[in-house]
Amino acid sequence: MAGIELTDIHKSYGPTRVVQGLSLSIGQGEFLALLGPSGCGKTTTLRMIAGLEVPDSGTIAIDGRVVHGPGARVPPERRGLGMVFQSYAVWPHRTVAKNVEYPLRLMGLRRAEATARVREALGWVRMEALAERMPHALSGGQLQRVALARALVGRPRVLLLDEPLSNLDAALKEELRAEIAALRSRLGTTMVYVTHDQGEAMALADRIAVMDSGRLEQVDSPERLYSEPATPFVAGFVGGANLLGGESGAGCFFASGAKFELPPELSGAEGPGTLVVRPEDLEVGVGQGGTPLTLSARLFLGSSAEYRFPLGDRLLRAIGPPLEARPGETLPVRVRKGRLFRGSFPATKPGR
Amino acid sequence: MRLAEKKLELVLAATLLAPLLAFAIGPVVVLLVRSVASLRGEALLELLSADGRRATYNTLTISAGAAGVAFLVGAPLALLLERTDLAYRGVLRVLFTLPSAIPPFIWGMGWLALANPKAGLLNRVLGAGALDIYGPVGIAFVLGGAGLPLVLLAGTASLSRVDPALEEAARLSGAGPLRALLTVSLPLALPALGSGAVMVFLFSASAFGVPYILGVTASPPTVVLTTRIYGQVLLGGPDALARALSLSAVLLLLASVLLVAGQLLGRAGRVRLAAGKGVSRRPMPLGRYRSPLSVAAAVAAFVLVLLPLFAVFLTSVQKSYGAPLGLEHLTFAHWAGVLTSPRTLSAAGRSVLLAGAAGTLVCAFGLLVALSRKHFPLAGRAVDALASWPFAVPGTVMAMALLVAFSRDLRLVLFERVAFVLAMANTLWLVLAAYAAKYLVLGGSNLSESMAQVDPSLAEAARVSGASRARAFLDATLPSLRPALASAFVLAFLACATELTMSVLLVPTGKAVLGTLLFELQSYADPNAASVLACGFVLLVVLALGAMEAVRRSARRRAVGG
């Protein structure tokens, strides 16, 4: 039985279709990251699971109970979830302890019992010492810890996190990320984590659901997303790969007036397609038979260098050993490894 | 800091402080000194006399009642209008904020026509003597209704700034929508609502027109501090003046305490701005309570706002005050009479000139205040505080202060040759000074706010292009301030053109302005004619504010479209 089951969810704001036919099942105890660029519908999806947004159609079930669907509409307070917000949402008129105590009081716990649980939850996030502080006397990282404790104190089966780290600086991000991972393995809570930061998603999640323009592009483990992206979008978003739209034939790929020789495993392809190549899989300057391209910029990165070549209306990025090269020079570029997707390149996306 | 800036600071501070001291702060200090100096004999007797104590007591109880009415109606209304799916929220919001723009005296006139015990319109429907608007309860009710926007606006502004995620977090913690609203948003908005109620208290303690027509002319009369001061000034003579002065000092003290209390509350309630992404807040569905609550709010708006205005209009077309209802008893004779009478026309002319001049002064000083606030944080804040202070000083006290300070001509003789004589007593110049001082804050706050939003790089770009500091300000900064200047001018103009409290004390006989004309017509001569004038006031205010809103909207649309 799945922890959360979303079936054919649709949601529009006026004419804007935010989520289109999304189906997703999240396992018990799983850590799933919803990853995508801003405006892709990931936050809306999370808020629909929470009950803060209402889908236009589709079914949502949590722990086998339908919380939204034909004839069922469970309000957020009765879904038994915890949630952490991007803006922390720690109530400024209550102390840290009173913030964390609130859900327990609504569950009908006695004060003595609640106090013990509050202390335990504050212990999880190492905030016991600050229990009597008012929120305005806390830093951003401490506020988010309080929010975590408050979301977890009622021991929800599912914890929803909406870009919880995006208001924090880099060092704190790192620290809280480790803390979330530790809490998760200690409590075994199912977690759904919305982020636009692929590094965050890769480091934390068992599986990542990549979304774009309201649709699911791919749901897979971080490793498989990286090694076997299902769509050009996933390859571009997760791996930072170059996407080239064009036509293949006779062992070559033609894009924006340039002709690339394809590696042997791709050479059989024919017809229109999208060539996806990671920057480190483009060989610059060495070997023979490369495509001559004009260098527009060279960024020295220490042990390697990034080379940029204008191609049509986009830039081709390649990473390799640092060479003596100046912008304006023409260098041979060779595709060492890549993936080819069939069909024409989606140059213009609806709603973009 | 460079030398040039230091010099500029000095010049600015001097141009600001001199008139502020001369016309706003100084006179009030003179009043305090004089009242303390005369705290013997007659003045002390006044404070201890039964009448003086009675007036103080009435002011306190009536103001507390008005603050209570405004809070009890305003707080739930703020929640309903800002956070729920109540029907016709937009219209209701406009209706409920209207009282703040219309002089309270007119609400008093409206309620007098509705609920005076003998011929009130409501009493004719409900049976004679059912309602009696005269007396402390009636005054508190009318002032509470007129002060309602202070609570409502403070509440909605604060509620709209509460981060929606705070309530959502409560929902996820297991609270239902009503519980989330009451345990999270309401406590956060409570200080703002409370500070609004304190402001209603201050507004009521300073009110003159309403307690005058509903208190002084009643039997038995209800006298408050402002009306007693007015009565003593009318009585004349050094004894009466001393009494008036000591009562003014009491009122000033009360106002200062209230102002500080209100500001402390307001500071405590400064709600954190909504952070994070712009998740729009969905209004809470009222479900089956939507219809009854919408009807209740609409009825409240009808009773508190539309009914009194309608009563004023009806009075203006009735053949005589308290005439029976019926078409045959209606006439436009009063309208024709008032609109063509030379008295009205000359009063209107004076009011337009005075209000226009005051509006210009308010804008000019507001600009200077905003500039000094921007460039010299410390000195600027001090000047800003000084400039907003006169607004909180009750009009009656401000007028008394100016009367006392400028009762004699001021002479300044230089080198025994050149003499400057400032003879302002009994002239309209003193009225102008009072108007400009009182409403200075409209310019200061409006312009400071909008100056803070102007991108400084606009002026910097002009400087780099070769413009001098002043030129850059004129060419690059000032055009962005035009909307704020316009709204400061319109607001100050409206407030001054309809001003009554200070005018009745300061305007010399035979030089009536619209406010004093309205007061005289209503209290002594001709309530029907007064109603015509009141209708004119309401039309002027509604049209001016409507036009301002239309301009603002089209500007916003242009900004969004471009």
Side-chain angles (χ1 to χ4, degrees):
Chain A
M1 183 184 62
I4 302 172
E5 191 82 49
L6 304 175
T7 318
D8 199 24
I9 302 290
H10 287 265
K11 174 74 181 174
S12 304
Y13 294 121
T16 327
R17 288 201 268 171
V18 192
V19 174
Q20 309 182 42
L22 181 131
S23 295
L24 177 63
S25 89
I26 303 166
Q28 191 84 60
E30 189 180 13
F31 194 128
L32 181 109
L34 276 170
L35 176 69
S38 61
C40 72
K42 56 190 191 299
T43 290
T44 307
T45 304
L46 190 79
R47 291 171 60 83
M48 287 193 290
I49 298 175
L52 296 169
E53 302 283 343
V54 181
D56 299 336
S57 65
T59 326
I60 302 176
I62 300 174
D63 271 332
R65 181 170 73 128
V66 176
V67 293
H68 183 91
R73 199 154 157 185
V74 180
E77 64 269 22
R78 276 190 253 127
R79 293 192 180 190
L81 307 167
M83 184 160 173
V84 177
F85 295 80
Q86 182 181 12
S87 60
Y88 321 135
V90 173
W91 301 306
H93 59 299
R94 291 203 174 94
T95 62
V96 166
K98 293 274 180 239
N99 259 281
V100 179
E101 190 190 36
Y102 188 81
L104 299 176
R105 303 290 292 174
L106 288 172
M107 286 163 68
L109 254 64
R110 280 169 210 283
R111 177 143 284 168
E113 199 179 338
T115 310
R117 300 243 333 236
V118 167
R119 197 170 308 132
E120 184 194 20
L122 287 175
W124 293 338
V125 293
R126 298 185 288 119
M127 286 286 292
E128 309 101 305
L130 303 178
E132 294 313 316
R133 286 271 184 96
M134 288 306 274
H136 63 80
L138 299 181
S139 69
Q142 292 169 330
L143 285 171
Q144 199 56 300
R145 286 204 169 86
V146 176
L148 257 174
R150 184 181 63 189
L152 288 170
V153 71
R155 290 293 184 105
R157 306 279 287 274
V158 177
L159 179 67
L160 308 174
L161 301 110
D162 184 8
E163 308 223 13
L165 306 184
S166 64
N167 281 352
L168 303 176
D169 63 44
L172 266 176
K173 243 181 213 175
E174 201 70 33
E175 200 181 311
L176 246 95
R177 199 159 80 181
E179 229 152 276
I180 291 173
L183 274 174
R184 187 258 171 148
S185 57
R186 180 195 294 201
L187 302 175
T189 317
T190 307
M191 294 198 178
V192 186
Y193 188 106
V194 161
T195 180
H196 61 263
D197 179 341
Q198 50 141 329
E200 226 167 83
M202 295 259 189
L204 284 169
D206 300 326
R207 283 194 306 157
I208 299 177
V210 182
M211 288 186 72
D212 184 42
S213 305
R215 292 179 203 280
L216 264 187
E217 294 273 319
Q218 187 175 3
V219 189
D220 245 321
S221 69
E223 294 80 7
R224 280 178 59 90
L225 272 185
Y226 189 78
S227 60
E228 287 168 50
T231 65
F233 174 81
V234 174
F237 194 77
V238 176
N242 296 298
L243 307 183
L244 298 176
E247 194 130 355
S248 42
C252 289
F253 189 80
F254 302 88
S256 306
K259 175 185 165 192
F260 295 91
E261 214 167 288
L262 287 172
E265 70 270 17
L266 299 178
S267 58
E270 296 280 339
T274 302
L275 179 64
V276 177
V277 197
R278 295 227 168 78
E280 55 272 27
D281 293 337
L282 276 173
E283 206 171 355
V284 177
V286 283
Q288 343 89 332
T291 311
L293 292 174
T294 309
L295 185 69
S296 69
R298 171 182 171 275
L299 282 69
F300 182 58
L301 303 173
S303 62
S304 62
E306 182 183 323
Y307 304 88
R308 293 184 175 175
F309 305 93
L311 190 69
D313 59 351
R314 47 183 64 214
L315 276 179
L316 196 64
R317 292 166 58 239
I319 292 178
L323 300 172
E324 282 293 329
R326 295 183 168 282
E329 275 181 44
T330 302
L331 295 172
V333 177
R334 202 167 64 85
V335 178
R336 199 190 293 137
K337 215 166 94 191
R339 301 175 69 81
L340 203 50
F341 290 91
R342 287 182 158 281
S344 61
F345 181 66
T348 50
K349 284 200 168 173
R352 283 291 192 91
Chain B
M1 198 187 295
R2 279 171 316 173
L3 205 64
E5 280 188 25
K6 271 226 150 92
K7 234 196 266 168
L8 184 70
E9 176 163 26
L10 276 177
V11 172
L12 255 181
T15 29
L16 278 172
L17 283 179
L20 261 179
L21 284 176
F23 294 112
I25 317 286
V28 178
V29 175
V30 170
L31 175 135
L32 273 179
V33 170
R34 290 270 308 258
S35 65
V36 169
S38 63
L39 251 189
R40 266 159 281 146
E42 203 59 41
L44 197 60
L45 273 181
E46 167 64 16
L47 290 185
L48 298 175
S49 77
D51 285 345
R53 283 210 319 261
R54 186 91 216 145
T56 312
Y57 174 79
N58 280 340
T59 291
L60 289 175
T61 48
I62 286 174
S63 305
V69 168
F71 184 83
L72 289 180
V73 181
L77 259 180
L79 282 177
L80 282 173
L81 289 178
E82 187 61 37
R83 295 290 288 107
T84 70
D85 65 344
L86 197 77
Y88 305 113
R89 281 184 306 247
V91 180
L92 286 175
R93 195 184 284 250
V94 171
L95 279 180
F96 277 118
T97 44
L98 195 59
S100 66
I102 291 172
F105 190 66
I106 292 178
W107 300 108
M109 290 171 61
W111 278 105
L112 198 56
L114 283 171
N116 77 60
K118 282 181 205 130
L121 293 169
L122 288 177
N123 282 329
R124 286 191 226 171
V125 179
L126 301 170
L131 295 171
D132 184 359
I133 201 66
Y134 284 116
V137 176
I139 298 172
F141 171 75
V142 173
L143 288 175
L148 180 63
L150 293 170
V151 174
L152 184 62
L153 291 176
T156 52
S158 150
L159 280 172
S160 73
R161 277 198 301 266
V162 175
D163 183 352
L166 291 175
E167 248 181 65
E168 290 171 358
R171 294 296 301 279
L172 265 298
S173 304
L178 186 64
R179 180 148 190 169
L181 180 63
L182 295 183
T183 57
V184 173
S185 295
L186 187 63
L188 289 174
L190 214 49
L193 290 165
S195 125
V198 172
M199 289 303 130
V200 176
F201 197 112
L202 176 56
F203 157 84
S204 306
S206 317
F208 167 76
V210 173
Y212 190 87
I213 50 169
L214 298 183
V216 174
T217 51
S219 59
T222 306
V223 176
V224 298
L225 285 172
T226 51
T227 51
R228 176 140 181 96
I229 294 169
Y230 176 74
Q232 295 299 312
V233 172
L234 281 198
L235 213 59
D239 281 0
L241 191 67
R243 285 164 189 261
L245 275 177
S246 55
L247 289 178
S248 300
V250 171
L251 190 51
L252 183 64
L253 189 72
L254 178 63
S256 312
V257 170
L258 288 170
L259 186 68
V260 171
Q263 275 177 351
L264 286 181
L265 263 177
R267 196 164 310 157
R270 202 167 295 156
V271 179
R272 195 161 60 107
L273 285 175
K277 47 198 128 175
V279 178
S280 64
R281 186 200 307 269
R282 202 169 327 98
M284 185 176 109
L286 291 169
R288 63 202 160 97
Y289 298 107
R290 184 166 186 255
S291 309
L293 283 172
S294 302
V295 169
V299 167
F302 178 76
V303 170
L304 287 177
V305 181
L306 293 179
L307 209 54
L309 291 182
F310 170 75
V312 171
F313 173 73
L314 189 66
T315 308
S316 78
V317 293
Q318 277 180 323
K319 280 192 179 143
S320 62
Y321 196 70
L325 299 173
L327 275 180
E328 68 276 17
H329 298 290
L330 299 184
T331 169
F332 275 101
H334 304 299
W335 279 81
V338 170
L339 293 184
T340 55
S341 111
R343 257 184 100 194
T344 321
L345 293 178
S346 59
R350 277 185 214 109
S351 274
V352 166
L353 274 180
L354 279 171
T360 311
L361 283 175
V362 163
C363 283
F365 268 93
L367 208 52
L368 285 173
V369 168
L371 263 178
S372 65
R373 245 211 108 141
K374 184 177 163 118
H375 291 288
F376 317 110
L378 258 178
R381 204 173 316 152
V383 172
D384 200 27
L386 281 181
S388 42
W389 184 62
F391 188 67
V393 174
T396 309
V397 175
M398 179 61 90
M400 281 299 297
L402 286 167
L403 276 182
V404 174
F406 294 98
S407 58
R408 259 167 276 158
D409 301 350
L410 299 178
R411 277 166 201 284
L412 181 67
V413 183
L414 288 180
F415 312 119
E416 299 178 5
R417 297 176 132 232
V418 194
F420 293 96
V421 183
L422 196 60
M424 302 213 359
N426 266 318
T427 65
L428 286 177
W429 293 107
L430 205 56
V431 181
L432 176 63
Y435 286 178
K438 176 97 177 161
Y439 296 108
L440 200 53
V441 66
L442 292 176
S445 60
N446 257 317
L447 288 162
S448 288
E449 219 165 87
S450 107
M451 181 100 74
Q453 283 163 4
V454 175
D455 184 355
S457 56
L458 290 178
E460 286 160 9
R463 292 299 300 280
V464 174
S465 315
S468 69
R469 180 186 276 278
R471 185 71 197 266
F473 176 76
L474 287 178
D475 291 348
T477 311
L478 198 57
S480 318
L481 296 177
R482 231 179 275 150
L485 276 172
S487 84
F489 182 85
V490 171
L491 290 177
F493 182 92
L494 287 178
C496 296
T498 59
E499 211 285 334
L500 190 149
T501 307
M502 297 188 296
S503 308
V504 292
L505 283 167
L506 290 177
V507 168
T509 28
K511 298 228 170 85
V513 296
L514 285 176
T516 56
L517 186 62
L518 177 70
F519 180 71
E520 274 168 38
L521 287 175
Q522 173 69 29
S523 352
Y524 303 116
D526 187 350
N528 296 101
S531 297
V532 174
L533 211 52
C535 286
F537 278 29
V538 173
L539 274 180
L540 174 73
V541 167
V542 169
L543 287 179
L545 293 183
M548 212 162 86
E549 184 59 30
V551 169
R552 198 180 301 152
R553 277 198 193 167
S554 80
R556 201 180 306 147
R557 208 171 309 129
R558 227 176 304 142
V560 170

